[in-house]
Amino acid sequence: MRRASREVLEGLRQFDSATVFNAVVESLGATQGGREMEGRGGILECYTGPEIRCLLPELGCIVGYAFTAEVTSNDPDSVALPWDSYYESLEKTPGPTIAVIKDVDTRPGRGATFGDNMAAAHKALGAVGAVVDGTVRDLNGIRAVGMPVWGRGLVPGHGVFNLVRTGSPVVVGSLLIHPGALLVADL
């Protein structure tokens, strides 16, 4: 997979996501007579929906490559992969990486899928942020770690926390994200 230079990645951080979107649309010639082309799965669907929110706006914009995982937060009978393998893979992945975590529980969002311990581990392994299609807890601890995070909202607890899949495409906020996709996340 071809990766952008550090200068390009840093340059992207200087713009908000709406400006980046406009530049992508323009560069792909996706406008006709000043109107954006329409179509399911087209360029107009290269962003998450309003259900994914920036939970720590003071930590700013991040740019990086998606590192995907699916987890359950309360399903004790779900398949459980070893977290050590996930973290080893994260450490070996060229950065900057953004953890993209999908809650595939039978009751998505009921238990947190990201907290301060995960934020510290991800940051230590080179992740620049996390986008969670699920809920988050320990927001003050995540802020102290300095890990920007996006999610559906906050809950105080979690249950049985199982890693069920890594490295697969996931749908987050109605957007299909492939592992290694270049992401821009801001307010």
Side-chain angles (χ1 to χ4, degrees):
M1 170 194 224
R2 196 169 146 213
R3 292 191 170 252
S5 70
R6 288 265 180 215
E7 293 79 20
V8 168
L9 297 176
E10 191 54 38
L12 282 171
R13 289 188 71 232
Q14 306 310 309
F15 298 99
D16 64 25
S17 56
T19 301
V20 173
F21 171 83
N22 289 343
V24 169
V25 169
E26 186 64 32
S27 72
L28 295 177
T31 60
Q32 294 179 342
R35 286 193 51 209
E36 294 170 348
M37 290 179 8
E38 297 182 25
R40 187 147 174 81
I43 191 65
L44 294 180
E45 295 188 23
C46 65
Y47 54 87
T48 59
E51 61 274 21
I52 303 297
R53 299 177 298 129
C54 180
L55 300 176
L56 294 169
E58 67 273 18
L59 296 183
C61 175
I62 59 172
V63 176
Y65 297 97
F67 188 84
T68 63
E70 294 178 6
V71 300
T72 60
S73 58
N74 286 304
D75 286 344
D77 296 336
S78 62
V79 175
L81 300 175
W83 279 99
D84 289 348
S85 295
Y86 170 85
Y87 287 122
E88 287 172 13
S89 294
L90 177 61
E91 184 175 35
K92 292 176 185 174
T93 301
T97 54
I98 297 175
V100 178
I101 300 170
K102 171 80 175 185
D103 183 351
V104 294
D105 199 90
T106 55
R107 297 178 299 150
R110 184 65 186 114
T113 55
F114 199 83
D116 58 357
N117 288 331
M118 286 187 71
H122 279 76
K123 185 158 187 155
L125 297 172
V128 296
V131 177
V132 180
D133 195 339
T135 54
V136 173
R137 67 181 235 150
D138 305 316
L139 197 59
N140 286 331
I142 295 170
R143 180 183 290 111
V145 168
M147 174 67 65
V149 65
W150 286 255
R152 288 184 176 261
L154 303 171
V155 294
H158 66 82
V160 176
F161 190 59
N162 290 333
L163 174 66
V164 297
R165 186 173 316 160
T166 64
S168 298
V170 293
V171 175
V172 173
S174 301
L175 174 66
L176 177 62
I177 299 176
H178 292 274
L182 182 59
L183 305 178
V184 175
D186 67 358
L187 181 61

